Amino acid sequence: MHYIAVINQKGGVGKTTISINLAAGFAQRLPTLLIDLDPQGTASAWASVASRPLPMRVSHMPAGFDANRPVAEGDQPEVVIVDCPPTLDSDTVIQVLRSVDQVLIPVLPSPLDLWSSLRLAESVEEAQRVSGKLQARLLINQLEPRSALSSAMEGALREFSIPSLSTAVRRRAVYRSTAMEGLTVFQVGTNGAPARAEFNAIIDEVRT
Ligand SMILES: Nc1ncnc2c1ncn2[C@@H]1O[C@H](COP(=O)(O)OP(=O)(O)O)[C@@H](O)[C@H]1O
Ligand SMILES: [Mg+2]
């Protein structure tokens, strides 16, 4: 089973966008469950407006994370994606870090944004000392279409203790338009193709 948390204490970095599309992409290949841990329930609200059936199951757990529950109910998912609340200071997040195999940390492509995740990196390293299996990777989000990472950002990434996936998520209107309809980029026509290719590449990296 793949057990992956999408985590960052900052809001607006793309946790929910990435969780939803990552789960939908995985669901093309394996039974997938998306767990919404945000008390604001963004992912659940999104799922509730879905105009077409979603490829994955969505479960809202506002009361906190129970590592045993998701696999105890219903079909056994082979992939569980956890969309985390924008905080580090909760038992929920500590529980998540202790339970999952991988964390993906969305960051915007600016060194300042990266350094603001330093405290998160420390929490992840602490969890890695307890649980040797935990793997952590940064995922750059909202990269300008057609432009490369700035050299300042590349330098900052090299100094950061957590490695990044080589695929980045570009800034694309289709991520916003699908979210507004409660859909994912895996459920739209050709205008979703570049975004799907991006998420399939991310999934290939995550699975290795
Ligand atoms: N790659 C992207 N391209 C375009 N818009 C994006 C992208 N990623 C996120 N957004 C938009 O940015 C806003 C914040 O994203 P969201 O996933 O809600 O962040 P978080 O869950 O970390 O608070 C949303 O309006 C979302 O549609
Ligand atoms: Mg969110």
Side-chain angles (χ1 to χ4, degrees):
M1 193 175 85
H2 298 280
Y3 211 156
I4 305 166
V6 181
I7 192 164
N8 192 322
Q9 76 272 31
K10 271 186 70 176
V13 293
K15 291 181 293 297
T16 300
T17 305
I18 288 168
S19 299
I20 286 168
N21 287 292
L22 190 65
F26 263 114
Q28 314 297 310
R29 311 176 186 204
L30 296 163
T32 301
L33 170 67
L34 171 65
I35 298 179
D36 179 13
L37 279 188
D38 193 336
Q40 292 185 346
T42 320
S44 317
W46 159 87
S48 71
V49 302
S51 49
R52 271 174 266 155
L54 292 167
M56 69 286 198
R57 211 148 57 84
V58 182
S59 160
H60 191 202
M61 292 190 183
F65 181 68
D66 178 349
N68 299 313
R69 222 182 76 186
V71 288
E73 62 179 37
D75 300 333
Q76 292 274 115
E78 285 183 50
V79 182
V80 180
I81 309 286
V82 187
D83 181 16
C84 289
T87 175
L88 273 185
D89 305 306
S90 76
D91 290 344
T92 298
V93 172
I94 294 165
Q95 270 291 318
V96 168
L97 285 176
R98 285 190 188 151
S99 308
V100 299
D101 310 312
Q102 292 188 48
V103 287
L104 283 184
I105 303 170
V107 289
L108 301 178
S110 92
L112 277 181
D113 197 77
L114 181 59
W115 292 121
S116 75
S117 301
L118 201 56
R119 207 161 70 83
L120 173 56
E122 285 164 9
S123 302
V124 167
E125 280 160 10
E126 207 173 291
Q128 281 173 325
R129 281 193 285 277
V130 180
S131 144
K133 67 169 187 182
L134 182 66
Q135 190 186 32
R137 258 96 56 95
L138 302 171
L139 175 52
I140 293 159
N141 184 29
Q142 301 246 28
L143 186 62
E144 289 296 329
R146 288 178 291 281
S147 74
L149 275 185
S150 70
S151 54
M153 184 65 183
E154 286 193 341
L157 283 173
R158 275 195 298 273
E159 282 177 51
F160 210 74
S161 57
I162 298 176
S164 51
L165 292 181
S166 56
T167 310
V169 180
R170 302 252 159 188
R171 187 151 60 76
R172 299 179 195 278
V174 71
Y175 289 119
R176 288 173 190 263
S177 60
T178 48
M180 272 186 292
E181 294 174 74
L183 296 175
T184 69
V185 298
F186 287 88
Q187 295 163 286
V188 293
T190 46
N191 70 326
R196 284 194 286 277
E198 183 161 272
F199 267 88
N200 279 323
I202 290 165
I203 289 168
D204 290 339
E205 280 195 68
V206 162
R207 293 187 71 180
T208 54

